[in-house]
Amino acid sequence: MSDTPDSAVRTYTEQHRAAFLDDLAEWLRIPSVSAQPEHDGDVRRSAGWLSAKLAETGFPVTEIWETPGAPAVFAEWPSEDPGAPVVLVYGHHDVQPAAREDGWSTDPFEPVIRDGRMYGRGAADDKGQVFFHTLGVRAHLAATGRTTPAVHLKLLIEGEEESGSPHFRALAEERAARLAADVVIVSDTGMWDENTPTVCTGMRGLAECEIELNGPDQDIHSGSFGGAVPNPATVLARLVAALHDPEGRVAVPGFYDGVTELTEAERALFAELPFDEDTWLRTAGSYATAGEAGYSTLERVWARPTAEVNGIGGGYQGAGSKTVIPSSALVKLSFRLVAGQDPERIQEAVRSWAEARIPAGIRHRITFSPATRPCLTPLDHPALQAVARAMGRAFGTKILFTREGGSGPAADLQDVLGAPVLFLGISVPSDGWHGPDEKVELGLLLKGVETTAHLWGELADALR
Amino acid sequence: MSDTPDSAVRTYTEQHRAAFLDDLAEWLRIPSVSAQPEHDGDVRRSAGWLSAKLAETGFPVTEIWETPGAPAVFAEWPSEDPGAPVVLVYGHHDVQPAAREDGWSTDPFEPVIRDGRMYGRGAADDKGQVFFHTLGVRAHLAATGRTTPAVHLKLLIEGEEESGSPHFRALAEERAARLAADVVIVSDTGMWDENTPTVCTGMRGLAECEIELNGPDQDIHSGSFGGAVPNPATVLARLVAALHDPEGRVAVPGFYDGVTELTEAERALFAELPFDEDTWLRTAGSYATAGEAGYSTLERVWARPTAEVNGIGGGYQGAGSKTVIPSSALVKLSFRLVAGQDPERIQEAVRSWAEARIPAGIRHRITFSPATRPCLTPLDHPALQAVARAMGRAFGTKILFTREGGSGPAADLQDVLGAPVLFLGISVPSDGWHGPDEKVELGLLLKGVETTAHLWGELADALR
């Protein structure tokens, strides 16, 4: 056990709360919108502001890391303890676009506190969740009387996450030696809800595929030729229809090879979450659930691989009708992958499966985008248990576990650094990521401070 | 048998050839493009020109029939013979748009004769094929010494065919009593090729259907929700894939109910046609044939009903990728129908079939456009045999039979008038309908004159 008294952490956090929130508000005033070129200077200013703030926090090393796009911020605070584990925290300092006319109640870049919440673009995604690490490490030192953290702490806060992290993987590879860590903590996710603190244990991977089928050289008359030539739209539909078997499983041979199955323990913990299917359906805007037989909705989106059509098109799509056999048809597929699946092998399996199903007279083009690997930390991993304990001390309640159905650049860190990735976030679904009136719950933000204040000691103990 | 001596017809035709071609050229100079409002006056001028020419030909009744769009021309020449059968000839006097810069070698509305062909918009489609009836009926009278035709002859030459005949059915219904006929002769098609005179015995019908499926209220994230909600694009693909069975037959229950099967005699006659599959594929621009097992390519396009996708679309179709589950997906289907199929019953069958396959959570909208009925005259019909005999006398060779895979307003005449529809055309595939350098072969045009010169006597004998 860490020697950090929980009450000392809480007291320190309370004492510095006002200044901490003032600082966060100052940062939120910088409109670091990476997707809008007119804000390039603001993203750069945000990096400089954060770097200076981390230096002020006590990090002996703070650096701006340039990329071909927006700069990242790197900071490092070695531990005085010999053999202390190395922890890399990941987050981002850029934000989504926002304008008052999008439906904001107040200026998105002039943060305000109302009803215990701070409203402003980036309050939750991700400046607030990066920022709790600053007060957190100071609370950790203050409560333990240490002069350096119990772990060798590194922060990498990128500036292009909201633009798809186009240079992130290259940056991680180039700086792999500086980034080397025993554990990666990603603070860019959230918890189940206000009353249910949770730790996310993994994200799905992603392999995207575009299949274009070409039939006749141009659209041809469906009267003159209909019934006697292969129709690429029909062939494409048959391909898509064959993607799943009647049980809702992906029918591409080899697709499930190596899949890490859910443990009974994890299924039991998922089942403890206060999941309400009607609420979930309303959030999705969907009118029914569907999917792989034998799995719950949460299991389907978190722990099972999928094949989905993202887009399909071919022939005449305008008003009225045009009696043609289309010259071509195209489908965009995405495969969400889980631990144990290798994106490159999945791509090859999809290619072979598709090619075997394309009849004579139909030419094809199958292309894959760069894939994102899945990441998953087993429930019994000591680092994960340490995160849960730290969070439990801050929240004073049982910590449950979730996963994330989406995919993200965090997997690149797991891949490049070979370290497990843990997700520590205090955001909640109502925070309005990417929408108007984004906010962070101040109570939860301070629980984030307390969690990280406990975390470094817990991790040092767990990984010793 | 008719009492028209073949040589007398040939002589009369040769004698009047020059004036006939001059007249046709004059008509072709009127740019009666029904699809372009700036040519409304020209379409009207074309109707007036034709009406006057028919009066000059000897038709005692010529009328301009107004519609909410472009006018049609009606002409009538009763027979002196009591009980003579009534024949209605259908054609159109409007033409497709044409401009020199579309690739014409000469002005499309300044006809020229080169190498035994007359080039100009409408030369084959359809002014040339309407016009051979004028000299044809005069040759019929001259060669037989009659003062009225051997049949009660009616002509209906519409002015909106190239615009989809929007008012044709209503006109036919309104004027049904005036149009009443024992046989309809449509002169708006063609023959197999220059060396293979053929008679077309039917056209396929057409039922068009649009199916829109709606899933989530908006496009949703395929990471957060993928694998757990029904994807309307996937459901749509399954529907399309289920349209056909493995034998290439349409799998909608009841689809083949009542279908008039090809007779062995007709299959044998089709097989006599000089069909070359490689040439056909080049014309189609397709790289293979496909379709219903057990039928040849010609049988598939002429005599078998089909289901084809004309267009399909849903979700993200732009460059790159967007990992969404689409909110909706849409398919446009067309069903070509053959004799014995009822479009309304087919529509109901398609609706029931589709609705039974749409799973929970997917809302749908299924709409049908007004359908076109199929038409078919059996090979042993006396009128059809009369057409073949008349053509055989003009061409001096065996007449074979074709059908037309497309669909057209002729079926409305069959439907409204309850009369069999026969297709008498002398155009050939190289005539370039709707394209640049449209032309008519003068030799074939004059064979058209001779055919109709023989036809009225043959028909009067056959239907007596």
Side-chain angles (χ1 to χ4, degrees):
Chain A
M1 279 298 288
S2 153
D3 56 357
T4 309
D6 296 6
S7 60
V9 163
R10 193 148 299 152
T11 304
Y12 186 90
T13 301
E14 276 305 316
Q15 284 169 345
H16 295 81
R17 169 195 165 109
F20 168 74
L21 294 181
D22 284 350
D23 284 347
L24 175 57
E26 188 175 298
W27 194 16
L28 294 186
R29 282 188 198 97
I30 304 174
S32 50
V33 181
S34 60
Q36 296 175 331
E38 65 267 32
H39 287 296
D40 282 356
D42 293 317
V43 178
R44 192 159 290 279
R45 194 149 60 89
S46 162
W49 186 96
L50 176 61
S51 173
K53 188 57 63 180
L54 291 172
E56 186 186 316
T57 300
F59 281 83
V61 177
T62 60
E63 299 174 15
I64 304 282
W65 284 1
E66 294 295 339
T67 76
V73 175
F74 176 76
E76 190 170 9
W77 198 336
S79 175
E80 66 213 283
D81 302 352
V86 184
V87 177
L88 174 66
V89 171
Y90 166 88
H92 61 91
H93 68 90
D94 63 321
V95 299
Q96 279 278 314
R100 183 73 189 265
E101 55 268 29
D102 296 340
W104 285 78
S105 305
T106 54
D107 184 336
F109 296 107
E110 188 48 65
V112 295
I113 292 178
R114 278 198 313 271
D115 304 328
R117 298 157 175 167
M118 184 181 290
Y119 289 85
R121 174 57 85 221
D125 176 23
D126 183 38
K127 285 173 174 170
Q129 301 202 99
V130 167
F131 209 58
F132 68 61
H133 284 279
T134 61
L135 185 55
V137 68
R138 287 177 54 84
H140 164 61
L141 299 181
T144 57
R146 303 180 58 99
T147 53
T148 60
V151 297
H152 181 141
L153 191 57
K154 299 177 179 181
L155 265 63
L156 177 63
I157 312 301
E158 74 157 318
E160 299 186 308
E161 200 273 345
E162 300 295 2
S163 300
S165 302
H167 308 106
F168 185 70
R169 171 126 195 160
L171 182 74
E173 287 174 347
E174 188 189 325
R175 307 279 192 157
R178 298 287 306 279
L179 295 171
D182 298 305
V183 171
V184 176
I185 304 277
V186 169
S187 284
D188 186 27
T189 54
M191 343 188 290
W192 180 263
D193 67 21
E194 287 78 348
N195 306 311
T196 317
T198 52
V199 177
C200 174
T201 66
M203 299 181 86
R204 292 196 288 192
L206 177 63
E208 290 170 283
C209 170
E210 190 173 296
I211 303 178
E212 183 181 319
L213 300 184
N214 293 281
D217 287 330
Q218 61 284 318
D219 290 359
I220 58 177
H221 194 280
S222 74
S224 305
F225 302 105
V229 297
N231 181 324
T234 308
V235 172
L236 192 75
R238 289 176 189 159
L239 206 57
V240 171
L243 257 182
H244 297 87
D245 71 13
E247 299 296 292
R249 287 170 62 87
V250 178
V252 174
F255 187 76
Y256 291 92
D257 286 358
V259 158
T260 303
E261 297 291 337
L262 275 163
T263 62
E264 283 310 311
E266 193 166 7
R267 298 186 85 162
L269 284 167
F270 284 176
E272 281 189 51
L273 290 163
F275 175 76
D276 178 68
E277 194 147 274
D278 287 342
T279 305
W280 185 87
L281 281 174
R282 268 197 302 279
T283 307
S286 180
Y287 294 79
T289 58
E292 189 180 355
Y295 294 91
S296 72
T297 293
L298 286 183
E299 290 167 354
R300 286 169 174 168
V301 293
W302 287 348
R304 300 301 299 170
T306 67
E308 292 285 0
V309 176
N310 303 130
I312 190 167
Y316 183 69
Q317 299 180 45
S321 67
K322 194 172 173 189
T323 50
V324 293
I325 296 174
S327 172
S328 68
L330 180 139
V331 67
K332 291 171 188 277
L333 301 174
S334 64
F335 299 87
R336 297 285 168 176
L337 309 179
V338 301
Q341 286 181 300
D342 176 63
E344 280 73 36
R345 283 182 57 189
I346 295 294
Q347 290 174 348
E348 275 321 298
V350 169
R351 181 186 295 282
S352 304
W353 166 85
E355 287 180 344
R357 295 182 152 269
I358 298 170
I362 297 289
R363 293 152 297 145
H364 68 275
R365 183 180 57 73
I366 303 180
T367 49
F368 294 93
S369 313
T372 303
R373 292 181 180 278
C375 56
L376 178 68
T377 304
L379 280 190
D380 57 4
H381 192 287
L384 185 61
Q385 289 297 326
V387 171
R389 277 197 304 275
M391 204 168 185
R393 288 166 64 186
F395 283 84
T397 180
K398 181 179 180 180
I399 303 303
L400 292 172
F401 295 90
T402 65
R403 293 198 201 174
E404 163 60 40
S407 313
D412 286 326
L413 292 174
Q414 170 195 262
D415 208 32
V416 174
L417 306 180
V421 173
L422 310 176
F423 299 84
L424 170 62
I426 51 76
S427 181
V428 288
S430 61
D431 283 351
W433 289 32
H434 299 200
D437 284 351
E438 178 182 346
K439 53 87 176 168
V440 66
E441 301 281 334
L442 298 185
L444 298 179
L445 189 65
L446 297 169
K447 293 294 182 200
V449 171
E450 290 183 43
T451 299
T452 49
H454 301 311
L455 181 57
W456 310 136
E458 291 286 356
L459 267 179
D461 288 349
L463 299 180
R464 181 156 296 149
Chain B
M1 277 298 288
S2 152
D3 57 356
T4 310
D6 296 9
S7 61
V9 163
R10 194 150 299 152
T11 303
Y12 187 90
T13 302
E14 276 306 314
Q15 283 168 344
H16 295 80
R17 171 196 163 109
F20 169 74
L21 295 180
D22 283 351
D23 284 349
L24 174 57
E26 186 175 301
W27 193 17
L28 295 185
R29 283 190 196 97
I30 303 173
S32 51
V33 181
S34 61
Q36 297 175 332
E38 65 268 31
H39 288 295
D40 282 356
D42 294 317
V43 178
R44 192 160 289 278
R45 194 149 60 88
S46 162
W49 186 95
L50 176 62
S51 173
K53 188 57 64 181
L54 292 171
E56 186 187 317
T57 298
F59 280 83
V61 176
T62 59
E63 299 175 14
I64 304 282
W65 284 1
E66 294 295 338
T67 76
V73 175
F74 176 77
E76 190 169 8
W77 198 337
S79 175
E80 65 213 284
D81 302 353
V86 185
V87 177
L88 174 67
V89 171
Y90 166 88
H92 60 91
H93 68 89
D94 62 322
V95 298
Q96 280 278 314
R100 182 74 190 265
E101 55 268 30
D102 295 341
W104 285 76
S105 305
T106 53
D107 184 337
F109 297 107
E110 188 47 65
V112 294
I113 292 177
R114 276 198 314 271
D115 304 328
R117 297 158 175 164
M118 185 182 290
Y119 289 86
R121 175 57 87 222
D125 177 21
D126 184 34
K127 286 174 174 168
Q129 302 202 99
V130 167
F131 209 57
F132 68 62
H133 285 279
T134 61
L135 186 54
V137 68
R138 288 177 53 84
H140 165 61
L141 299 181
T144 57
R146 303 181 58 99
T147 53
T148 61
V151 297
H152 182 140
L153 191 57
K154 300 179 179 180
L155 264 64
L156 177 62
I157 312 300
E158 74 157 318
E160 299 187 307
E161 200 275 345
E162 300 295 1
S163 300
S165 302
H167 308 104
F168 185 71
R169 171 129 194 157
L171 182 72
E173 287 173 347
E174 189 189 321
R175 307 279 192 158
R178 297 289 307 278
L179 295 170
D182 298 304
V183 170
V184 176
I185 303 276
V186 169
S187 283
D188 186 27
T189 55
M191 342 188 290
W192 180 263
D193 66 23
E194 285 78 350
N195 306 310
T196 318
T198 51
V199 176
C200 174
T201 66
M203 299 182 85
R204 293 195 288 192
L206 177 62
E208 292 171 281
C209 168
E210 189 173 297
I211 303 178
E212 182 180 320
L213 300 183
N214 292 282
D217 287 330
Q218 61 285 318
D219 289 358
I220 58 175
H221 194 282
S222 75
S224 304
F225 301 104
V229 296
N231 180 324
T234 308
V235 172
L236 192 74
R238 289 176 189 159
L239 207 56
V240 171
L243 256 182
H244 296 88
D245 71 13
E247 299 295 293
R249 287 170 63 87
V250 178
V252 174
F255 186 76
Y256 291 92
D257 286 0
V259 159
T260 302
E261 296 292 335
L262 273 164
T263 63
E264 283 311 311
E266 193 166 6
R267 299 185 83 162
L269 284 168
F270 283 176
E272 281 190 52
L273 290 163
F275 176 75
D276 179 68
E277 193 148 276
D278 287 343
T279 305
W280 186 87
L281 281 172
R282 268 197 303 279
T283 307
S286 180
Y287 294 81
T289 58
E292 189 180 355
Y295 293 92
S296 72
T297 293
L298 286 183
E299 290 167 354
R300 286 168 173 167
V301 294
W302 286 348
R304 300 301 299 169
T306 66
E308 292 285 359
V309 176
N310 303 130
I312 189 168
Y316 182 69
Q317 300 180 45
S321 67
K322 194 171 173 190
T323 49
V324 293
I325 296 175
S327 172
S328 69
L330 178 138
V331 68
K332 291 171 190 277
L333 301 174
S334 64
F335 299 87
R336 297 283 168 176
L337 308 180
V338 300
Q341 287 181 300
D342 176 64
E344 281 71 38
R345 283 183 57 192
I346 295 293
Q347 289 174 348
E348 274 321 297
V350 169
R351 181 187 296 282
S352 303
W353 166 85
E355 287 180 344
R357 295 183 153 267
I358 298 169
I362 297 288
R363 294 151 296 146
H364 67 276
R365 183 179 58 73
I366 302 179
T367 50
F368 294 93
S369 314
T372 303
R373 292 183 181 276
C375 56
L376 177 69
T377 304
L379 279 191
D380 57 3
H381 193 287
L384 185 60
Q385 289 297 325
V387 171
R389 275 196 305 275
M391 205 168 185
R393 288 169 63 186
F395 283 86
T397 180
K398 180 177 182 182
I399 304 303
L400 293 172
F401 295 89
T402 65
R403 292 199 202 174
E404 164 60 42
S407 313
D412 285 326
L413 291 175
Q414 169 194 262
D415 208 33
V416 173
L417 306 180
V421 174
L422 309 175
F423 299 85
L424 169 61
I426 51 77
S427 182
V428 288
S430 61
D431 282 350
W433 290 32
H434 298 201
D437 283 351
E438 178 182 347
K439 54 89 178 165
V440 66
E441 301 281 335
L442 298 185
L444 298 179
L445 189 64
L446 296 170
K447 293 294 182 200
V449 171
E450 291 183 42
T451 299
T452 50
H454 301 310
L455 182 57
W456 309 136
E458 292 285 355
L459 267 178
D461 289 348
L463 300 180
R464 180 155 298 151

